[in-house]
Amino acid sequence: MQSKKPEKIDFNTEYPCPCRRRGRLVPITLTEAFGCDRCQQIFVVEDNGHVLEQLSTTYPYKRAWRWTGGNWHVVHPKLGESYLPIALGIIFVLVIIWLPLALRLANGSSIIAWAMVAVLLAILPALMVWLTYRR
């Protein structure tokens, strides 16, 4: 049975690609990096040899993995490095504070317009989070 404890990444060992199941990581000569023979991604070794980080990425945060001896486990970014707290804060302010205030101050005919604006502004952060975390 494989241990769940992260192991140090060895440059003389062949690893499976963390992005694709069929690719293999090949050490890049004279660097502390690996390249996948299938997906052509480049990965660097960080955190004293315990974390494999994807070098070129379109994600707003760097994707990283830890090797546990049999497979890769995703290293999740810190809460402050993601868009989720920002989006939740914006939605909280809009729905809990701004919408009731706008509804109280609005005239009878403009209540629907204020409500639609609040809902649209609440959907924007949710869309931002969805686009960020989709894979």
Side-chain angles (χ1 to χ4, degrees):
M1 183 171 176
Q2 299 289 334
S3 70
K4 295 287 182 184
K5 185 177 178 184
E7 295 181 6
K8 191 167 184 171
I9 300 168
D10 182 18
F11 287 97
N12 298 322
T13 306
E14 193 172 290
Y15 298 100
C17 179
C19 294
R20 302 187 191 258
R21 303 224 186 267
R22 295 184 183 162
R24 304 296 298 167
L25 294 181
V26 179
I28 299 174
T29 309
L30 301 177
T31 66
E32 291 188 356
F34 287 96
C36 178
D37 63 353
R38 295 269 181 157
C39 67
Q40 305 302 314
Q41 292 291 325
I42 297 174
F43 303 92
V44 293
V45 178
E46 298 287 338
D47 194 23
N48 294 325
H50 288 90
V51 174
L52 187 74
E53 235 178 48
Q54 191 172 1
L55 189 59
S56 59
T57 181
T58 58
Y59 291 98
Y61 59 91
K62 291 185 178 183
R63 297 193 56 188
W65 298 267
R66 292 189 190 274
W67 180 250
T68 59
N71 54 8
W72 296 103
H73 285 278
V74 177
V75 176
H76 296 287
K78 295 176 186 168
L79 189 60
E81 295 175 1
S82 67
Y83 287 121
L84 186 60
I86 296 168
L88 289 176
I90 292 171
I91 291 171
F92 176 79
V93 168
L94 288 174
V95 173
I96 304 299
I97 297 171
W98 185 72
L99 181 60
L101 183 64
L103 290 176
R104 190 175 316 151
L105 297 176
N107 297 337
S109 62
S110 64
I111 288 177
I112 295 173
W114 279 104
M116 287 176 46
V117 167
V119 168
L120 287 174
L121 288 174
I123 289 173
L124 287 176
L127 181 65
M128 180 179 69
V129 168
W130 178 73
L131 289 173
T132 302
Y133 288 107
R134 72 183 174 123
R135 175 114 160 84

